[in-house]
Amino acid sequence: MDTRGARMKEHECGEYHQAVEEFRLREHPMLRGTTYLDHAGTTLYAKSAIERFSADMLSNLYGNPHSASSSSQLTTRRIEDVRLRLLGMFKADPEEFDVIFVANATAGIKLVMEAFRDNGDGFWYGYHMDSHTSLIGVRESAKDSRCFTSDQDVEDWIKEPGAEALPGLFAYPAQSNMNGRRLPLAWTRRIRTSKGRAVYTLLDAAALVSTSPLDLSDVDAAPDFTVLSLYKMFGFPDLGALIVRKEAGTVFGRRRYFGGGTVEMVVCVQEQWHAKKSDSLHEKLEDGTLPIHSIMALDAAMSVHEELYGSLERVSRHTTLLVAKLYEGLTSLRHGNGEAVCQVYKGSTSTYGDANSQGPIVAFNLRNPLGGWVSNAEVEKLAAVKSFQLRTGGLCNPGGVASSLGLAPWEMRDNFSAGQRCGNENDTIRGKPTGMIRVSLGAMSVLEDVVSFVDFVREFFVQGSKSEAVLPVAALRVEPPTPSNLHVESLTIYPVKSCAGWSVPRGVAWEVRREGLAWDREWCLVHQGTGAALSQKRYPKMALIRPSIDLEAGLLRVELAPPLRRLVDEHEVTIPLSADPRMFSDVSTYTDSHAKVCGDAIRAKKYKSDKIAAFFSQALGVACHLARFPALSNRNSSETSSRHTKAHLQKPEKEPNMHIPGAFPDSTPQALGARVPMPILLSNESPILTISRSSLNRLNELIKAEGGKAAQADVFRANIVVAENLESLSGVEQPYAEDHWRHLKIGEQYFDILGPCRRCQMVCVDQQTAERNQEPFVTLSKTRRFDGRVYFGEHTCHIAMDGAVSPAAQYPTIAVGDAVHPFLDDEVEHDSRLWALVG
Ligand SMILES: *Cc1c(COP(=O)(O)O)cnc(C)c1O
């Protein structure tokens, strides 16, 4: 589909669309330059709602609603009005329904669960496979539970005569939060008719009502319990609601807990007796002080929503139309060889464009032209750089995701043991994706969002089309440079993980160890709250913290670049290189405190000094400690380089099989003469990272050709920059020759090339200014993406020599200016020492 053409012809959304375009930048200035595609998470709030709420707060005095004072009475009155108004939005008759304010939809679900759980004999729980995680969790409190794996399953059960032995609760989502499929609302009436009072119904409408009306006017058809996330409708305030059919309210009589606000009288001395409030359901169930201000804000948000969008019917028509275009756009994308780019996980009953069967969500994965999966982590990184806000992963919908992806329970468990967690990068295991990409639209979405997203996917993930003719840069067959062609241009270490690098001065022989260059990433900053190691991805200002190693004075000096200086009293702090145990928090803290690097727990010792902590905390504006990895003196103990034992670096496959974008379809991958980049589980933690000056030059030519900002070598956080010797260049550089290297000899030392280094948007942080750019990630993604992953540079590891008798073996060093000899696979035997080490 030509989405741009579609935009020109756009009449259907008409007025609404035009109105949204007009008010969305006014109502949400932050949308400038950002495409928000995660409405199923939290929708966008309108600026006017905040302003109206703020005016209300400034001009009225609202007291806690527990006294007779006028401020207290005002609060009570307003809250009752909002309750009524919310019910009105769903055409729910206040005679028949009550609304209970809760923190979020999950809290509403838990309130229902508590009532059933407190039933003497327990309860039976049935839930649909498409349920959100929060509904599934209820089963843990049930005596007996059943997961219905299809709509037909539910239909059959409804027709089954007889009821469950225990009081029952059947729960399902009105709309799947995963792919937006809308489930039959008619089930609630039919269950009531067929099962009588034996089975109650719980409808999770959190996803549905953000873009669709819900009509509760027919009390006989309405669910007994309906839960909502109000911030998914209005963006603000953070509030949820539980709407209860009063007739079903009796189940709450079983609830054991009471709290302030839900009880009339409590006797606790000598006797234990209490009288619960009996007036209304919400009085019985709203424990503690109500979120008064949030409820007032809800009133403002509802008014503004109504003024901007009119009604949920209009929102529904608009979003239904937009998502049909999105679906059409994504499914029509083809690679040059005709293969589909998007694997969309459409519901079995869904028709895009039909609001009864499908909401404004598309869940999908991307495929390469060979049918392989594109890593979602890569998609997410690019989306972040290009300012698309979307969601990837398991989406809090385990049943829907597992069935769409064809993951068996054993596979999910096995993936779990293999290290897959919600939100990490292990996103393709055994040839199957472990999660998906979700794009969801809302009331404030416009066609432009859809168009630019489809364009984004086309630009970065469609291969083999004409627009790509300029892309392939990896040399298909590289002759090895003659041995003396290369030298070490620079050596850089990063004493404090994620902070600025420090260049080893020319003429200094620098020690190289199995774990890397000496003093490289010896320290890190850990968050005082979570214990996680800080990184530039979240704290780009770390680039402005500049450590250096002063071997003469035995000090690590840490200096702040000028932009950070005004935040801190001192501009420099020094830390002894020797790891004096007295400087660290006591041993027990040490063993318990796990600094997290890349999600792995690592032991690091925290410095006790308040001055050191204050220095870093002030500079970055986040409470952190400086920590050190196990000390040098322990290098030979079992603690040795604990930060590297986890680097399960895998050697690349010997058989070349790298897919080069743009080379498709005229050559099979095997013929390309490159190799499969094997997964590197801890890509940001290999011993040494080597990059090539020629490759960087090539990359920068391409960036500059597009008018972008050239990248400095330091954004790649390389340890070794290898450059071609000027005199031997004869005008032709050999970019990406390193893709074919297997080993290196630098000076007298030998190294293994472990595999290419996978990149993320962190390379976009300018190391001089800490500003984020689009480059070089955008150009890298277009020119260095293989099997869906973006690579630049090579993971490298020193090969220790056995029988360390020579000085070069006992104290291995390399220096700036050293000659560099690369070896391809079949050249190992050309060097007898290398042959002895690895042959
Ligand atoms: C978001 C969502 C939930 C959880 O809502 P919270 O307000 O975060 O508790 C539950 N079910 C569905 C279908 C959702 O979309």
Side-chain angles (χ1 to χ4, degrees):
M1 181 189 73
D2 176 4
T3 44
R4 288 183 194 285
R7 176 152 198 255
M8 297 305 159
K9 287 187 266 135
E10 195 53 43
H11 300 302
E12 299 108 308
C13 295
E15 259 173 78
Y16 182 103
H17 192 272
Q18 205 176 351
V20 174
E21 287 209 317
E22 272 164 30
F23 65 65
R24 69 182 216 147
L25 288 178
R26 179 189 79 215
E27 292 293 345
H28 214 297
M30 290 300 287
L31 266 183
R32 220 175 281 277
T34 294
T35 308
Y36 190 81
L37 297 171
D38 188 20
H39 288 267
T42 304
T43 200
L44 295 166
Y45 60 83
K47 184 161 140 261
S48 321
I50 307 288
E51 285 166 357
R52 192 165 310 196
F53 169 56
S54 139
D56 184 13
M57 285 300 103
L58 295 173
S59 53
N60 287 300
L61 185 60
Y62 293 114
N64 191 325
H66 53 198
S67 74
S69 69
S70 62
S71 66
S72 189
Q73 290 302 311
L74 177 61
T75 309
T76 308
R77 211 182 68 212
R78 284 289 308 276
I79 291 176
E80 292 319 312
D81 290 349
V82 180
R83 238 186 256 285
L84 204 60
R85 185 169 186 187
L86 188 61
L87 286 176
M89 196 156 184
F90 302 105
K91 303 196 171 75
D93 179 353
E95 292 287 318
E96 305 282 359
F97 294 89
D98 199 354
V99 57
I100 289 101
F101 286 113
V102 285
N104 45 37
T106 304
I109 294 166
K110 282 167 74 177
L111 209 49
V112 176
M113 174 273 285
E114 264 179 23
F116 280 84
R117 185 192 58 195
D118 291 352
N119 176 57
D121 299 323
F123 71 106
W124 173 90
Y125 182 58
Y127 60 98
H128 193 282
M129 183 182 72
D130 285 350
S131 294
H132 186 276
T133 306
S134 294
L135 275 189
I136 300 177
V138 174
R139 72 177 183 206
E140 303 298 312
S141 295
K143 198 144 208 187
D144 190 13
S145 72
R146 169 169 174 194
C147 174
F148 290 79
T149 54
S150 69
D151 291 4
Q152 191 55 48
D153 237 11
V154 179
E155 297 286 343
D156 293 345
W157 168 74
I158 291 177
K159 286 184 206 131
E160 256 169 44
E164 312 299 328
L166 294 165
L169 178 66
F170 177 81
Y172 71 105
Q175 173 181 311
S176 156
N177 63 311
M178 178 197 85
N179 62 4
R181 179 171 88 93
R182 290 182 174 166
L183 284 78
L185 293 176
W187 281 345
T188 50
R189 179 204 290 275
R190 293 179 45 214
I191 290 170
R192 182 167 302 124
T193 312
S194 110
K195 310 278 176 194
R197 292 283 296 264
V199 179
Y200 289 84
T201 52
L202 167 57
L203 183 73
D204 174 1
L208 178 77
V209 296
S210 63
T211 51
S212 163
L214 175 69
D215 186 342
L216 301 179
S217 59
D218 180 354
V219 68
D220 294 326
D224 293 309
F225 313 103
T226 305
V227 290
L228 315 168
S229 300
L230 295 167
Y231 54 84
K232 287 188 192 169
M233 304 177 71
F234 308 109
F236 156 89
D238 299 336
L239 205 56
L242 165 65
I243 299 177
V244 181
R245 220 171 136 255
K246 282 186 180 166
E247 204 212 331
T250 48
V251 303
F252 292 105
R254 305 172 190 153
R255 196 173 81 114
R256 301 215 180 114
Y257 180 79
F258 61 82
T262 53
V263 66
E264 297 284 8
M265 181 172 285
V266 180
V267 175
C268 57
V269 182
Q270 287 176 0
E271 243 184 87
Q272 309 215 323
W273 176 86
H274 69 273
K276 287 195 190 156
K277 284 197 176 164
S278 54
D279 297 358
S280 66
L281 265 176
H282 65 256
E283 285 194 327
K284 285 188 190 137
L285 296 176
E286 286 168 343
D287 299 310
T289 305
L290 276 169
I292 305 163
H293 301 102
S294 294
I295 296 172
M296 305 292 170
L298 177 62
D299 202 18
M302 287 172 82
S303 301
V304 168
H305 191 273
E306 202 176 298
E307 285 159 28
L308 292 180
Y309 308 113
S311 63
L312 282 171
E313 281 81 1
R314 286 185 80 204
V315 171
S316 172
R317 278 200 298 277
H318 172 69
T319 50
T320 299
L321 201 115
L322 281 189
V323 79
K325 303 219 171 281
L326 177 62
Y327 176 73
E328 202 185 320
L330 290 177
T331 48
S332 65
L333 292 175
R334 302 275 149 185
H335 290 295
N337 63 350
E339 293 295 320
V341 176
C342 299
Q343 164 83 51
V344 175
Y345 303 108
K346 188 160 90 67
S348 51
T349 58
S350 296
T351 306
Y352 279 93
D354 166 28
N356 285 320
S357 67
Q358 179 61 44
I361 295 182
V362 181
F364 62 98
N365 277 306
L366 296 174
R367 289 184 186 268
N368 65 32
L370 300 176
W373 300 106
V374 174
S375 151
N376 288 343
E378 299 303 328
V379 178
E380 199 166 46
K381 288 171 196 169
L382 259 177
V385 170
K386 284 297 198 179
S387 298
F388 287 97
Q389 189 146 334
L390 42 77
R391 175 146 177 209
T392 68
L395 311 178
C396 266
N397 194 303
V401 167
S403 74
S404 297
L405 301 179
L407 293 171
W410 71 265
E411 283 184 295
M412 296 185 71
R413 284 178 181 231
D414 197 51
N415 292 354
F416 188 82
S417 352
Q420 191 232 325
R421 296 291 183 277
C422 219
N424 74 7
E425 290 205 352
N426 275 342
D427 52 17
T428 314
I429 300 182
R430 265 177 252 102
K432 293 179 186 177
T434 59
M436 45 181 77
I437 305 164
R438 183 183 71 187
V439 166
S440 54
L441 306 174
M444 210 179 272
S445 299
V446 289
L447 192 60
E448 188 58 33
D449 298 335
V450 170
V451 171
S452 53
F453 184 69
V454 174
D455 284 349
F456 164 75
V457 176
R458 183 185 297 119
E459 180 179 1
F460 289 95
F461 300 99
V462 176
Q463 293 180 21
S465 61
K466 285 194 196 72
S467 63
E468 249 185 318
V470 295
L471 296 184
V473 290
L476 293 190
R477 189 71 228 170
V478 186
E479 291 310 316
T482 50
S484 56
N485 266 358
L486 300 164
H487 68 278
V488 174
E489 180 187 88
S490 62
L491 290 177
T492 307
I493 57 166
Y494 304 85
V496 183
K497 186 188 147 54
S498 244
C499 293
W502 177 72
S503 297
V504 173
R506 187 169 278 279
V508 175
W510 203 256
E511 188 189 358
V512 50
R513 310 184 183 123
R514 197 173 62 83
E515 318 90 88
L517 298 183
W519 305 107
D520 188 41
R521 281 163 259 218
E522 186 74 27
W523 292 268
C524 66
L525 296 175
V526 295
H527 192 280
Q528 287 188 7
T530 63
L534 305 187
S535 97
Q536 271 189 37
K537 212 183 273 184
R538 196 166 292 166
Y539 302 99
K541 280 189 196 151
M542 291 176 85
L544 304 177
I545 296 181
R546 305 205 164 131
S548 60
I549 301 287
D550 182 344
L551 287 177
E552 269 181 26
L555 291 175
L556 165 74
R557 294 182 191 284
V558 184
E559 222 189 3
L560 299 181
L564 289 188
R565 289 193 188 161
R566 57 194 168 75
L567 307 170
V568 186
D569 315 327
E570 310 265 347
H571 299 165
E572 190 187 90
V573 73
T574 55
I575 293 118
L577 292 178
S578 64
D580 182 338
R582 283 168 303 182
M583 296 179 55
F584 299 97
S585 300
D586 52 31
V587 174
S588 63
T589 323
Y590 153 55
T591 45
D592 294 345
S593 112
H594 292 259
K596 285 185 183 164
V597 176
C598 288
D600 282 309
I602 294 169
R603 282 178 188 179
K605 297 198 248 184
K606 288 185 293 194
Y607 283 83
K608 271 198 291 213
S609 155
D610 290 340
K611 185 173 158 241
I612 296 177
F615 175 82
F616 290 105
S617 301
Q618 286 171 17
L620 289 177
V622 52
C624 60
H625 287 296
L626 180 70
R628 182 165 184 170
F629 291 105
L632 254 181
S633 53
N634 293 345
R635 290 270 178 221
N636 295 323
S637 77
S638 60
E639 300 249 317
T640 300
S641 64
S642 61
R643 76 193 149 112
H644 293 304
T645 50
K646 66 196 176 53
H648 314 289
L649 295 165
Q650 280 181 280
K651 281 203 170 200
E653 233 177 39
K654 295 290 176 191
E655 218 19 71
N657 182 18
M658 175 142 60
H659 177 64
I660 296 181
F664 199 83
D666 35 28
S667 43
T668 62
Q670 274 75 12
L672 297 174
R675 63 179 182 270
V676 169
M678 294 299 285
I680 289 165
L681 296 182
L682 260 158
S683 45
N684 92 3
E685 280 276 305
S686 78
I688 297 171
L689 192 74
T690 304
I691 67 168
S692 139
R693 166 59 60 188
S694 305
S695 306
L696 179 59
N697 288 345
R698 168 60 66 88
L699 175 65
N700 280 333
E701 282 163 25
L702 293 173
I703 292 176
K704 284 188 276 188
E706 294 291 319
K709 178 167 172 271
Q712 299 295 310
D714 54 6
V715 300
F716 296 104
R717 307 188 72 71
N719 298 109
I720 304 177
V721 179
V722 171
E724 282 166 85
N725 299 339
L726 273 179
E727 60 276 16
S728 63
L729 263 180
S730 57
V732 187
E733 286 185 302
Q734 298 202 333
Y736 301 115
E738 66 274 20
D739 287 345
H740 305 270
W741 297 347
R742 285 295 182 278
H743 304 282
L744 283 181
K745 183 180 181 199
I746 301 178
E748 290 303 305
Q749 301 301 323
Y750 289 90
F751 296 82
D752 258 332
I753 299 287
L754 301 169
C757 177
R758 193 170 168 187
R759 294 303 183 170
C760 69
Q761 68 272 36
M762 216 172 108
V763 298
C764 294
V765 179
D766 184 310
Q767 299 295 296
Q768 300 308 309
T769 62
E771 279 159 8
R772 287 191 174 103
N773 304 299
Q774 294 201 354
E775 296 292 3
F777 195 65
V778 165
T779 300
L780 273 180
S781 299
K782 290 186 179 173
T783 56
R784 292 287 299 167
R785 190 140 50 81
F786 307 110
D787 292 342
R789 290 154 189 214
V790 175
Y791 293 97
F792 190 85
E794 297 290 327
H795 290 294
T796 311
C797 174
H798 180 242
I799 308 174
M801 284 182 247
D802 293 332
V805 285
S806 69
Q810 286 178 343
Y811 184 70
T813 60
I814 55 175
V816 175
D818 275 355
V820 176
H821 301 250
F823 296 88
L824 306 191
D825 240 2
D826 48 1
E827 294 174 337
V828 171
E829 57 233 73
H830 296 179
D831 186 292
S832 57
R833 273 171 64 211
L834 177 59
W835 180 247
L837 288 169
V838 303

